Amino acid sequence: MPFLLGLTGNIACGKSTVGQVLAERYGAEYVDADRLVHTLYAAGTAETAAIAARFGKDLLQPDGTIDRRRLGDMVMSNDAALRDLERILDPGVGRAIADRVENTSAPVVVLDAIRLIESGIAEQCDTVWVVVCDRELQLQRLQSSRGLTREQAALRIAAQRPADEKLRHAKAVITNNGSLDDLLRQIESAWAATVRPALSA
């Protein structure tokens, strides 16, 4: 089994940047749960059918895929709807992650999941890193990277559980408020403290 590094943090804090650094500079296999979710929104999947049945067939686009932006706006202001969506998606995401872990040749697999703790995936990990940043930076990044309004960005941030809940499980905390060089230094420090000793054992 590879060493499993669980990577989490709230939206737009920079998890994917950290994950890409770990893949490019440290030879890890990077598994992005958000990208796995997007594959479940494809035409003809069981998840797409279940989402259409629960949230309305008008969410289906002409090509049969789910309109992710509209679905996001719908569930981010409704806790019960968000939980229902998570129940639909979690089993498929879990199967896809397990398949990647079982078939990798990399010594380290990075599991990037915003719900790493809540879904129970963290319990399978050898270490857990949490990426944090200031809320204002989250808002700016969501607006620039996803084309959201400030209100839409704020809604997505508010829908997530507080970062404090994730921090209780962290073996390393990466604060992504500064420069790339600062981020790289923190990643190296966390790797040296939580991963390298296990790989050398």
Side-chain angles (χ1 to χ4, degrees):
M1 281 286 291
F3 184 95
L4 299 184
L5 191 164
L7 182 63
T8 191
N10 281 351
I11 193 168
C13 284
K15 298 187 311 303
S16 61
T17 301
V18 174
Q20 288 159 9
V21 169
L22 290 170
E24 293 167 7
R25 300 195 176 208
Y26 295 85
E29 175 160 354
Y30 175 49
V31 181
D32 184 347
D34 196 43
R35 290 186 183 179
L36 298 179
V37 166
H38 291 174
T39 68
L40 302 180
Y41 290 148
T45 67
E47 289 81 8
T48 290
I51 289 167
R54 166 61 180 84
F55 298 101
K57 293 184 178 179
D58 58 330
L59 283 175
L60 293 174
Q61 301 185 107
D63 62 359
T65 63
I66 292 292
D67 185 331
R68 301 199 315 264
R69 176 70 61 85
R70 287 188 58 214
L71 178 63
D73 288 341
M74 185 181 298
V75 303
M76 290 303 169
S77 58
N78 184 322
D79 284 346
L82 183 58
R83 301 293 92 78
D84 286 348
L85 179 61
E86 290 167 353
R87 280 192 287 271
I88 291 170
L89 297 174
D90 280 355
V93 172
R95 288 191 297 271
I97 288 173
D99 182 65
R100 290 283 293 275
V101 171
E102 289 170 10
N103 290 288
T104 187
S105 59
V108 177
V109 175
V110 177
L111 303 178
D112 173 352
I114 202 162
R115 296 183 56 253
L116 187 84
I117 311 298
E118 300 88 338
S119 66
I121 296 172
E123 297 172 10
Q124 306 167 33
C125 295
D126 297 294
T127 191
V128 172
W129 293 13
V130 178
V131 184
V132 298
C133 75
D134 292 341
R135 183 177 184 276
E136 184 59 33
L137 279 173
Q138 287 179 276
L139 288 167
Q140 292 173 12
R141 289 168 181 166
L142 281 171
Q143 290 175 85
S144 64
S145 67
R146 304 194 188 186
L148 301 178
T149 66
R150 190 174 178 87
E151 292 73 23
Q152 288 173 321
L155 192 64
R156 281 156 174 75
I157 293 170
Q160 298 185 334
R161 293 174 177 86
D164 289 350
E165 296 181 21
K166 295 176 169 61
L167 291 171
R168 287 198 290 270
H169 298 265
K171 298 290 177 59
V173 179
I174 309 292
T175 302
N176 187 23
N177 287 332
S179 66
L180 178 59
D181 284 345
D182 179 57
L183 186 65
L184 294 175
R185 282 192 294 270
Q186 292 184 68
I187 292 170
E188 169 56 30
S189 177
W191 182 273
T194 66
V195 182
R196 190 169 293 139
L199 298 181
S200 303

